[in-house]
Structures are given as C-alpha cells and as structure tokens.
Amino acid sequence: MAEATTGSGLPKGFRGAEQGWPELSRIPHPPHRVPLLGDVLGAGRRTPLQDSLRYARQLGPIFRRKAFNREFVFVWGAELAADMADEARFAKHVGLGIANLRPVVGDGLFTAYNHEPNWQLAHDVLAPGFSREAMAGYHPMMLAVADRLMDHWDRAVVSGRDVDVPGDMTKLTLETIARTGFGHDFGSFERSRPHPFVTAMIGTLTYAQRLNTVPTPLLLRRAARRNQDDIAHLNRTVDDLVRARTASGGGGGDLLDRMLETAHPETGERLSPENVRRQVITFLVAGHETTSGALSFALHYLSRHPEVAERARAEVDRVWGATATPGYDQVARLRYVRRILDESLRLWPTAPAFAREAREDTELGGVHPMRRGAWALVLTAMLHRDPGVWGADAERFDPDRFEPQAVRTRPSHTFKPFGTGARACIGRQFALHEATLVLGLLLRRYEFGSDPGYRLRVTERLTLMPEGLRLRLERRAPGAAPAAPVPTGTADGAASDVRCPVHRSAD
C-alpha cells in the first residue's frame, strides 16, 4: 500500500506496518496465521481490544496482528510505552478507528492530523475554557445535572426497580457537557429511550469500529447508509444548536461562545463555521462517552467491593459533612474517591489505546528500527496491567495503588487514560472533576447492591463500557453520622501533595 502524504510531505492516514518497520519479522504474532485473512482464528469481530489483551499476555510487550491485508504493531511494555511518549521523537498518529471518524468530525481536536492548522488554533482558543476559573463556573451546572440523576434514581428506589448504570451515566454526562459547554438541554432524564443524538453517536462509533473488521467497506453498504444518516443527524443537531446561540446573542462565555467569538490571541484567526460544528460534535461525543464509561466501571467495582465503598462514604461524610451542595474546592478533597476512579480507569481505560508515529527514523527501545511515519498502537489497557509496574496482582481492584507515595515511586508514563503529550485530552480535568463529584454524591446518598450472577462484560465501540450493568439501590439513612476523622499523617488525611497520576503535577 503506497504511503499517502500531505503537501508538507508528512505521512497521512494509514501506513502499513510492513512499510514502517524494517525488521517486522522479529516482532511476534499470534500462531496459526491464515493466508489472506490474517490472525482471525480465535478472534471476535466485536471484541478486538479484549482479543488484543489476550494476545499481549501470550506474546509479550510488543507484538503484531494482521487483519486481512493490514498489519498492526501493538506496544504495552512500560519501557517501550515510555519511549513512545517522548514528544521529541514521536507524535500522535491518527489511524485505525480514529481516522474512520473523520467523516463525522473532520479536523476536530481529537481526529485532526498533526499538520492540520485547525488543531492548534482550536486548542489555543479553547484551552482557557478548562482553566480553574472556568471549571469553578461549570460546577453548579454539574450539580444541577447530578440532582436530576438522583431524582431519577430516587424514583427507582421507591418503585423497587434496578437502575441501568451505563444508560443513566450516559444521560448524566451528555447533559453535563451539553449544559456546561453549549447551554443546551437534551432532556435525557425525561425520555424513556436514549436521545436520538446518543443513538446516532453510538451508531457512528460502532461503524468506525466495524470498518477495521472487514477486508473492504463494500461489505458494509447497508451499515454505511445508516452511518450517513447518523452523521446527518449529528450535523443537524449541532447546526440547530449553533443557530439558536447566534440568535440569542451569547451564552455567558461557555465553550460555544469561545468557538464563535474568540480570536487566536496571537494571529487573530477564528474558527470557521464548519470547524465549529466539528468541534461541538467532538466535545459532545468525547465529552460524555468516555466519562460515562469511567463512572460505570467505578460503580461496578464499588458494588463488588463494599469495604471500598464504605471507606469512600466515610471520606465523603467527613469532608463534606452536612453540606447540602459541596463547593468546587471540596471535590478535590475527596482523595480516596478519586483513587477509586483512577483505579477503575487503570483496569478499564475507556479510551483503551492511542497511536504514536515516529517523527524521524528511530529505534524503539533501542531494538526495533522504525522509519519516519511508522506507527504503533500503545495498548493502554495492557500497559495498566504490566506486572513489572503494578505487581503480580495487577488484575485486582485496589485504589491504594494511587496513594501519593505509590504514584511518586512508580515509573513515569505508566498510567495513560487520557493519552499523552501535546495531543492528550484537553478536557481531562473537566472529566475528573465531574466524575469525582458524581461518585461522591452517589456514595453519600445510596448503598449499591449488585446481582451476584452478573459477570463483567465489556462492550467495545472504540470506547469501552460495561454491558448490562444494573444495580439495586438503597437510600442511606438521612443524617448519617460522619465517620471519625482520619489521623493526621495518613494518606487519606493529607491535605496537600496530591499528584495527578497522568502528568505527575499538582492536581
């Protein structure tokens, strides 16, 4: 397959591993490779990530898989992943399912090629929208949406119904990003079925994933027509939202106002109407899909580990006390709750991989030659299970892995739920604040009961989500007494030196 290039000569789009890796044959691959079809024996069309985790355990820290005429290199060993995090030698690669989303969001923040100017323009214009001051402004709206979720769950408690955790977390996070970023209300909690925007969004993500499982898109003609309808619905929804904002004259300085009104501080350039649409769709999709998955996995683990849930409730009671509506600064003080979230993201990072390409000819780990433009997929979900970093019990859920001392002593670049480098998720602090706040509120209000017969199943649609997860809730007794304070000097009681495990700086 010939390498496509841009006007600047930079590699663009898919580049076969056989072109970029001169010594590809040294990298192991699954046994029983089938001519023309590749490594299809024992692989599931709907579970490519989980199949890759299985192969990773068998083949080691770097391996390759072939699907039809396309071969991919996977990396998960901590040392090799740290090498690929070197921004001087590697950059983000837009490939696999991410490139398949470009018909939906084009050169949006997540899907732009590195050479496309709109990525840096949008990043510089929107970065102030995720400052501490901006986040504090979003906090009351996050609380309001969480209240709607709890009203919905209170009705389930009264009627004796289990709650659909992934479905309700999707409603919560969609409404949160829609309200805080774009002043819009989808009315998700007033609907008995998912909002059509969510249905269309899931359709486009699923189609992007399926494109990687067939030898030619011609086999997905019917799905391609549905995908075009889904894209058209997403575009109409956002166009209507932008028209309403333009007619109203502004929304108080939220993300949409920044997109429509803010010029680049140095060049004076503004986002085009087409790029505004692409960025809005990017934020609506990425801003809720990954966070809803993270919350869902965290609630699954809390329901299966009542001792962890009780310890977290004690922290919430101690830190928030009788405060009806916790303030912005009180959320960051939920250190143990945040560790629960981090441990859930370790085991099931909802964006389970990211691709990196070589800026120039280099050697990965000093062993594997790579040509300029060659790329590999860093398998985050396996990096987070590397026994050399996380121990022989890496599959076990244990929030204390994220105690400050443990984080400081761990090698860098071993926890990457939000990607890495300049193209890491711009909204990571938004997501972490929202998720920590919601977990704190739910822990304070409910006891979580799980179905003993439930076994975690993971749905893959580029992002990960627990499938079929339902919980039985019980309201906690009102006015439950706060737990005794944690003695000073313990990890939970420390009021400072909390480090962000992604960037290893003060959070």
Side-chain angles (χ1 to χ4, degrees):
M1 183 183 298
E3 175 188 347
T5 60
T6 65
S8 64
L10 294 171
K12 173 184 176 184
F14 186 84
R15 176 181 175 136
E18 67 281 356
Q19 295 175 297
W21 296 76
E23 298 181 13
L24 185 66
S25 61
R26 294 174 52 202
I27 299 175
H29 63 76
H32 314 303
R33 179 168 283 187
V34 178
L36 300 179
L37 298 180
D39 303 314
V40 297
L41 295 180
R45 184 170 62 87
R46 299 182 184 277
T47 56
L49 180 277
Q50 291 164 85
D51 291 340
S52 294
L53 294 182
R54 177 164 48 85
Y55 289 132
R57 294 183 182 97
Q58 297 171 3
L59 300 172
I62 181 170
F63 65 99
R64 55 192 167 113
R65 291 184 66 186
K66 190 169 188 177
F68 308 109
N69 63 336
R70 296 173 293 184
E71 190 143 23
F72 315 116
V73 175
F74 294 81
V75 169
W76 62 268
E79 292 183 4
L80 297 180
D83 207 24
M84 298 202 80
D86 181 354
E87 284 285 291
R89 296 167 53 222
F90 294 92
K92 175 171 178 168
H93 176 80
V94 177
L96 294 172
I98 307 305
N100 294 340
L101 288 174
R102 283 182 61 88
V104 188
V105 287
D107 57 352
L109 277 170
F110 184 55
T111 48
Y113 294 115
N114 295 314
H115 65 273
E116 290 180 310
N118 275 334
W119 170 77
Q120 192 68 59
L121 171 62
H123 184 276
D124 293 347
V125 166
L126 294 172
F130 296 97
S131 66
R132 188 184 187 284
E133 293 74 19
M135 293 288 299
Y138 303 147
H139 179 77
M141 289 179 275
M142 292 182 179
L143 281 167
V145 177
D147 282 342
R148 290 168 66 183
L149 168 70
M150 291 188 292
D151 287 343
H152 179 69
W153 278 16
D154 285 349
R155 290 192 293 273
V157 172
V158 171
S159 64
R161 290 183 289 108
D162 294 350
V163 294
D164 171 9
V165 174
D168 289 343
M169 292 303 105
T170 295
K171 293 177 181 179
L172 169 90
T173 55
L174 176 64
E175 293 297 339
T176 298
I177 187 61
R179 289 196 61 183
T180 58
F182 311 106
H184 186 71
D185 190 334
F186 282 99
S188 299
F189 289 105
E190 290 70 49
R191 295 174 174 268
S192 59
R193 303 181 66 182
H195 191 283
F197 182 91
V198 173
T199 303
M201 180 269 306
I202 291 174
T204 59
L205 292 176
T206 303
Y207 179 76
Q209 176 99 315
R210 290 187 65 192
L211 281 175
N212 293 320
T213 66
V214 295
T216 170
L218 295 176
L219 297 177
L220 297 177
R221 289 178 179 174
R222 183 180 300 178
R225 288 193 293 270
R226 286 198 304 270
N227 187 57
Q228 288 302 314
D229 291 342
D230 288 336
I231 293 173
H233 182 85
L234 296 178
N235 288 341
R236 285 195 305 271
T237 300
V238 171
D239 289 347
D240 290 346
L241 191 155
V242 172
R243 276 195 295 269
R245 174 60 58 85
T246 303
S248 70
D254 61 12
L255 291 176
L256 183 54
D257 278 351
R258 291 180 184 276
M259 293 180 190
L260 294 172
E261 301 172 6
T262 303
H264 191 280
E266 296 178 4
T267 67
E269 190 177 2
R270 295 176 182 268
L271 297 177
S272 68
E274 181 183 43
N275 193 256
V276 168
R277 174 206 277 171
R278 291 171 172 176
Q279 304 297 355
V280 173
I281 294 175
T282 295
F283 276 103
L284 285 173
V285 174
H288 94 273
E289 174 75 357
T290 52
T291 310
S292 62
L295 280 165
S296 298
F297 282 114
L299 287 166
H300 165 72
Y301 285 115
L302 284 168
S303 72
R304 292 304 177 98
H305 297 271
E307 74 289 353
V308 172
E310 283 308 307
R311 184 175 167 188
R313 287 191 186 95
E315 179 184 64
V316 175
D317 289 341
R318 183 182 69 253
V319 173
W320 290 358
T323 304
T325 53
Y328 174 77
D329 289 332
Q330 286 181 292
V331 176
R333 294 175 59 200
L334 296 182
R335 309 295 167 77
Y336 188 66
V337 173
R338 169 63 183 275
R339 295 207 287 271
I340 291 168
L341 182 64
D342 286 339
E343 177 69 348
S344 301
L345 283 168
R346 181 186 73 83
L347 287 168
W348 293 108
T350 48
F354 57 92
R356 301 282 283 174
E357 67 181 43
R359 295 181 183 271
E360 302 293 343
D361 292 358
T362 188
E363 281 191 346
L364 179 62
V367 175
H368 299 284
M370 298 176 68
R371 296 192 178 104
R372 178 175 179 261
W375 65 278
L377 200 65
V378 179
L379 198 57
T380 318
M382 195 65 203
L383 171 65
H384 291 178
R385 289 169 162 82
D386 186 342
V389 174
W390 304 96
D393 64 344
E395 297 285 349
R396 183 172 64 87
F397 178 77
D398 179 10
D400 285 338
R401 297 181 200 275
F402 289 91
E403 286 185 339
Q405 179 62 27
V407 172
R408 284 192 293 269
T409 57
R410 206 152 41 232
S412 60
H413 303 297
T414 55
F415 184 62
K416 293 287 184 180
F418 297 99
T420 193
R423 299 291 300 273
C425 174
I426 191 174
R428 55 190 172 269
Q429 293 304 330
F430 181 100
L432 290 168
H433 181 84
E434 176 191 4
T436 306
L437 169 65
V438 170
L439 283 182
L441 291 169
L442 297 181
L443 282 160
R444 182 162 73 167
R445 196 176 190 95
Y446 304 105
E447 304 273 356
F448 309 126
S450 63
D451 177 359
Y454 178 77
R455 296 294 178 267
L456 181 63
R457 302 184 303 277
V458 177
T459 297
E460 301 182 26
R461 51 184 187 232
L462 290 185
T463 60
L464 304 181
M465 181 75 77
E467 179 183 347
L469 175 62
R470 303 187 70 87
L471 295 181
R472 175 63 55 92
L473 306 175
E474 291 184 17
R475 281 290 300 267
R476 293 183 71 202
V486 173
T488 58
T490 65
D492 282 356
S496 62
D497 199 27
V498 174
R499 318 296 274 180
C500 172
V502 179
H503 299 283
R504 308 182 75 79
S505 59
D507 211 359

